[in-house]
Amino acid sequence: MDFSREHIEYRVKQIGDSSLVWLKTLNRYLQLEEPAFLVFQQFADGLIMKEIVQNFAAEYAIPEADARRFVSEIKHRFESLYREFQVPDDPGVPPPARALPFLSYSERNIKVSGKIIRFTFGDSVMEKYLFPHFAYLEFDTDQPVCDLHVEFLNHHGKVFMKVNQEQLYAWPANQIYKLKGALFMQILNEIHDEIKGEWMGVIHAASVSLGNRAVMFPARSGGGKSTLASLMMAHGCSLLSDDFTPIALNGGIHSFPGSISLKSGSLPVLESYFPELMETRESQSPSKEEAVRYLRPQQPEYPANGGFSYAELASSVQVHAIVFVQYKSQKACELERISNLTALNDFLTESWLPDDARVSEKFLDWFFEIPCYTLHYGDNLKAVELILSLLKDVT
Amino acid sequence: MSPKERSRSANKNISRKEAISKAGKYAVFTASSMMLILNPVKAQAEPSPDLPPDWYY
């Protein structure tokens, strides 16, 4: 795709002297300082190179040769960005579902927010990969009717997911994590059906709440977010999600009922709070070398039985702080406020945001309203204390 | 002034003194110092949650 006027639809948010630009065609965000933004905007307005160079030289009182070099550099960067963009391959017409040998190796049901969700696994590998996330919600039923039925098949190097007997999705078997993402979205939409699938995005973050305030811990795997979220849970917070945090279009944070996955390194820290962890079996992921154990999420502020609904939980909860956590055994505990502009790139790296201009505007407005922090912690209780103070005091 | 207005006003009614002063804010005009491409992962460009493998176990 070429960098030309017809492909440049964008939205912009001004933060100080920086312009945050979202390019619709690429669904990418850029941070442009004023000179680069002026150049970009004149290309977007359809001006030709010569005019832009002249304008730029006059704007900054620099020789035209210098202006031309800079404008060319910016143009070249945009051209590269647009050239790299690959239009997603058309997956083609999938085979009719009936042509695929969907078999039932096992059938498991879960009940969540009053909904019965049925999984039919074609083999033990897929069952062991997917079901432990929801095993604590298992529900025995002979009832033939369910609210959501998802079937899985691993066949000829591909993994398939069939939803409610009709929609069929497929991925290469080595990208089974994509199937997991799609399954999580199906479950998310089923239990939060009032949102009608309209999400601002899903963030790779653990999230906990106290009252109507939540803190998010976005982090790559290994940062200690699940351990800290579990510790927060042990100190009276509700767990909204371990690593799949949905944000609705109105900015409200919602919950996802997957279990917390914990690596062996966190067991010594957590075993006194959650002795059941030591009795649970380790699970091996097909994509990870390290085994994990699953911990049931808890919402101590909400009734454990009857009336509990994931749709209700968090329906009015707002994010009051975004904390990038990193466990460092040598550090006691250091919580530092950082600028949102500094935090944005790390946050985007952990976000899935749909390709939609309305969403991109809402997302930037939402993100820049929330205080961001880094937390380097080695002293667990001190870290809990600091996060609790954020949950209680941030206004 | 919005970015759009600022762009449109470029090269209009600006004195040489103002222009030199503006340029002085920027030590060097280089694309690398003025343009940061955020979010290097592909996640945003996909129509459904195509999340990086390390999101999940």
Side-chain angles (χ1 to χ4, degrees), chain A residues 14 17 27-38 41 45 55-56 58-61 69-70 73-74 77-78 129 133 177-178 180-181 184-185 202 204 220-221 243-244 261 263 285 288 292 344-345 348-353, chain B residues 1-12 14-26 28-57:
Chain A
Q14 195 72 24
D17 284 340
N27 194 13
R28 293 289 293 269
Y29 291 82
L30 311 175
Q31 181 184 332
L32 302 179
E33 301 312 314
E34 183 199 85
F37 181 72
L38 293 185
Q41 189 156 41
D45 286 346
N55 289 343
F56 193 86
E59 181 82 9
Y60 292 101
R69 181 190 50 76
F70 180 70
E73 270 184 36
I74 295 291
R77 286 204 146 205
F78 273 100
Y129 180 53
H133 290 278
Y177 60 87
K178 292 187 179 180
K180 192 181 268 188
F184 280 21
M185 281 310 288
V202 176
H204 181 212
R220 286 212 170 280
S221 157
D243 66 357
F244 192 85
S261 57
K263 293 179 189 161
S285 150
K288 290 275 180 179
V292 294
L344 180 62
N345 196 32
L348 282 172
T349 305
E350 305 300 326
S351 306
W352 171 76
L353 303 170
Chain B
M1 187 186 290
S2 75
K4 201 163 234 174
E5 289 165 337
R6 194 179 304 182
S7 168
R8 299 250 156 81
S9 74
N11 200 27
K12 284 177 195 159
I14 182 168
S15 70
R16 180 161 176 76
K17 193 177 169 192
E18 285 169 331
I20 291 169
S21 159
K22 281 188 71 167
K25 278 173 68 179
Y26 304 100
V28 192
F29 286 99
T30 59
S32 55
S33 64
M34 305 264 180
M35 178 175 170
L36 182 61
I37 299 163
L38 300 174
N39 185 21
V41 297
K42 264 188 73 189
Q44 288 182 52
E46 299 292 332
S48 63
D50 175 9
L51 308 172
D54 68 349
W55 273 39
Y56 304 119
Y57 291 98

Side-chain angles (χ1 to χ4, degrees), chain A residues 13-235:
Chain A
K13 184 176 177 72
Q14 195 72 24
I15 304 289
D17 284 340
S18 300
S19 299
L20 288 170
V21 171
W22 175 75
L23 297 170
K24 179 171 182 7
T25 312
L26 313 185
N27 194 13
R28 293 289 293 269
Y29 291 82
L30 311 175
Q31 181 184 332
L32 302 179
E33 301 312 314
E34 183 199 85
F37 181 72
L38 293 185
V39 171
F40 164 73
Q41 189 156 41
Q42 291 179 74
F43 277 116
D45 286 346
L47 272 65
I48 60 169
M49 182 81 178
K50 189 177 171 189
E51 292 172 307
I52 300 171
V53 169
Q54 285 171 351
N55 289 343
F56 193 86
E59 181 82 9
Y60 292 101
I62 59 172
E64 277 204 16
D66 291 347
R68 186 173 302 107
R69 181 190 50 76
F70 180 70
V71 173
S72 299
E73 270 184 36
I74 295 291
K75 181 168 181 266
H76 177 70
R77 286 204 146 205
F78 273 100
E79 284 171 345
S80 302
L81 197 59
Y82 273 70
R83 205 179 309 121
E84 284 164 17
F85 176 73
Q86 303 284 324
V87 178
D89 293 337
D90 180 353
V93 181
R98 65 177 178 279
L100 291 164
F102 276 96
L103 297 170
S104 176
Y105 163 80
S106 67
E107 188 168 281
R108 313 288 287 264
N109 294 282
I110 62 169
K111 191 169 185 183
V112 54
S113 289
K115 303 280 180 86
I116 297 176
I117 298 174
R118 179 164 300 144
F119 303 114
T120 304
F121 296 102
D123 61 47
S124 65
V125 175
M126 296 193 89
E127 183 188 40
K128 282 179 187 159
Y129 180 53
L130 298 168
F131 194 67
H133 290 278
F134 307 104
Y136 79 97
L137 296 164
E138 186 156 26
F139 174 72
D140 281 328
T141 177
D142 296 329
Q143 202 178 312
V145 180
C146 61
D147 296 285
L148 175 67
H149 183 197
V150 196
E151 296 167 79
F152 305 96
L153 169 71
N154 188 342
H155 182 62
H156 287 182
K158 284 190 175 174
V159 285
F160 296 88
M161 182 171 92
K162 187 162 67 167
V163 178
N164 290 336
Q165 309 286 332
E166 42 189 47
Q167 298 154 277
L168 183 70
Y169 304 88
W171 297 267
N174 62 1
Q175 293 177 14
I176 193 171
Y177 60 87
K178 292 187 179 180
L179 177 148
K180 192 181 268 188
L183 168 66
F184 280 21
M185 281 310 288
Q186 290 286 341
I187 294 173
L188 183 64
N189 285 325
E190 187 63 39
I191 60 176
H192 293 296
D193 56 357
E194 81 287 0
I195 305 285
K196 312 225 176 296
E198 290 213 324
W199 299 101
M200 183 191 291
V202 176
I203 317 299
H204 181 212
S207 303
V208 295
S209 67
L210 198 61
N212 59 2
R213 292 172 171 175
V215 170
M216 290 176 77
F217 306 126
R220 286 212 170 280
S221 157
K225 65 178 174 9
S226 294
T227 310
L228 184 56
S230 304
L231 283 168
M232 297 309 300
M233 207 166 74
H235 287 82

Side-chain angles (χ1 to χ4, degrees), chain A residues 112 132-137 207-208 229-230 233-234 237-243 255-262 274 276 294-300 304 308 310 313:
Chain A
V112 54
H133 290 278
F134 307 104
Y136 79 97
L137 296 164
S207 303
V208 295
S230 304
M233 207 166 74
C237 294
S238 292
L239 187 99
L240 300 182
S241 178
D242 175 41
D243 66 357
S255 54
F256 184 76
S259 296
I260 307 171
S261 57
L262 295 161
F274 306 104
E276 69 271 25
Y294 290 95
L295 177 64
R296 176 189 183 130
Q298 294 169 15
Q299 292 81 22
F308 174 77
Y310 267 91
L313 170 62

